[in-house]
Amino acid sequence: MKRLSLFKSPFFKALSCIWLLILLAGCSSSSYTLKSGSRFVFIGDSITDGDWCLGNGRPSVDRLAREWDKNHIYGHSYMAFCAACMQADYPGQKYEFFNRGFSGNRLEHLEKRWDTDVIALRPDVVTILIGTNDVSQYLSDADPGVIPDASGFDAGAWEKSYRALLDRTLASNPDVRFVLCSPFVEKVGDKGRHENYPVRKELVGKLSSVIKGITSDYNAVFLPFGEMFDELQESPDLPSEEYWIWDGIHPTYAGSWKMSKLWLELITHLP
């Protein structure tokens, strides 16, 4: 029996239509249970980063010292769209948003800066999108000319490290909520044309399964970005193969907007 995709199901199509009507009236839905003054931290790699507070693209600049610059405080990733919609629609709620994405980061990098970039900010909601660089590192560690087998990636150790970050956060604040996002890759651009793409796709799927599998253990919301982009790439009216993702892993503005829409839809389902 063919599995009915979430994004092709009648329920999701109906939800999308309702969401479109909501978007015509504003950026986000009108039903929120989040408390006034809720603090949202988005952490991850370049897909979250979006050059926030870089200062004319200069990576040597201390980003935190430039958070006074409200024109660049969020960067240009999906995180910026999420923050803009929430703060525009609910100014009285005084929501605070923090971008803590850093280009090139792997899970091990998040571990080193977690206390400063997450726990110290006292977040109410933490959104995590990580994994694509872990896969890239695994592939690049292979001998030149050799495409490693996906079975060599230690997904169990990766899951243990991921869970440890969530546990550390809960220890500091038992009421914190998590939005756990799946990494993604599509067969476009440099990554899609590379001969190791099938292994990359398999590994990204493996990490997505790990993340989805631990969601219920942490009373979290899972964002299936991978499945979303798979569906978008299959659209019959796609203007070009790079319309949503231009190099296989980095979304275009259109792709980032779709990511933010999914986040805004599911943020209302925080348990």
Side-chain angles (χ1 to χ4, degrees):
M1 180 181 294
K2 184 177 181 181
R3 180 175 65 88
L4 181 63
S5 166
L6 166 67
F7 295 97
K8 290 183 178 179
S9 67
F11 171 78
F12 190 84
K13 290 181 178 180
L15 182 63
S16 297
C17 291
I18 294 172
W19 181 243
L20 178 60
L21 293 176
I22 293 173
L23 282 176
L24 294 177
C27 287
S28 50
S29 74
S30 59
S31 177
Y32 283 90
T33 57
L34 296 167
K35 68 181 182 181
S36 178
S38 287
R39 297 163 70 88
F40 300 81
V41 172
F42 288 68
I43 190 166
D45 49 42
S46 59
I47 299 169
T48 300
D49 186 332
D51 287 348
W52 65 277
C53 286
L54 273 184
N56 298 319
R58 293 174 293 169
S60 62
V61 172
D62 181 354
R63 295 192 186 193
L64 298 183
R66 290 186 56 85
E67 285 196 305
W68 58 267
D69 184 353
K70 304 307 180 185
N71 285 83
H72 302 94
I73 191 171
Y74 297 146
H76 53 72
S77 73
Y78 83 102
M79 177 274 169
F81 292 135
C82 294
C85 285
M86 289 281 283
Q87 291 181 320
D89 281 4
Y90 302 99
Q93 291 300 312
K94 301 178 182 178
Y95 294 141
E96 295 184 81
F97 284 78
F98 302 88
N99 189 336
R100 290 299 182 267
F102 276 85
S103 181
N105 268 198
R106 303 187 297 276
L107 187 58
E108 64 180 282
H109 297 114
L110 267 57
E111 291 177 302
K112 295 175 181 177
R113 60 187 181 89
W114 199 260
D115 287 344
T116 300
D117 287 357
V118 177
I119 293 176
L121 292 175
R122 297 175 287 106
D124 296 285
V125 181
V126 180
T127 299
I128 308 170
L129 174 54
I130 199 71
T132 192
N133 289 317
D134 296 80
V135 172
S136 292
Q137 185 65 48
Y138 174 74
L139 294 174
S140 65
D141 283 344
D143 293 334
V146 175
I147 299 177
D149 191 279
S151 62
F153 187 92
D154 194 343
W158 196 87
E159 176 181 344
K160 184 178 180 180
S161 296
Y162 197 108
R163 284 178 177 269
L165 294 181
L166 304 185
D167 292 337
R168 282 164 60 184
T169 314
L170 285 169
S172 69
N173 177 13
D175 296 323
V176 71
R177 291 294 180 264
F178 299 109
V179 180
L180 309 181
C181 310
S182 71
F184 48 85
V185 64
E186 295 298 330
K187 195 172 178 57
V188 299
D190 294 340
K191 297 296 186 294
R193 288 190 293 269
H194 199 284
E195 58 184 352
N196 66 15
Y197 174 79
V199 178
R200 181 184 293 274
K201 185 72 171 180
E202 181 179 352
L203 287 173
V204 166
K206 181 179 292 188
L207 294 188
S208 296
S209 296
V210 166
I211 296 167
K212 184 177 182 180
I214 69 176
T215 299
S216 60
D217 292 345
Y218 291 91
N219 207 26
V221 169
F222 176 69
L223 262 61
F225 285 147
E227 187 173 351
M228 184 194 78
F229 277 113
D230 286 347
E231 295 285 346
L232 290 173
Q233 287 300 121
E234 293 175 1
S235 174
D237 59 350
L238 195 65
S240 70
E241 67 172 12
E242 298 178 353
Y243 187 78
W244 302 111
I245 295 182
W246 63 273
D247 65 348
I249 59 176
H250 292 102
T252 59
Y253 280 108
S256 292
W257 175 244
K258 286 288 189 180
M259 292 172 68
S260 70
K261 283 180 62 179
L262 185 58
W263 187 92
L264 289 163
E265 288 167 4
L266 296 186
I267 196 67
T268 61
H269 301 297
L270 281 172

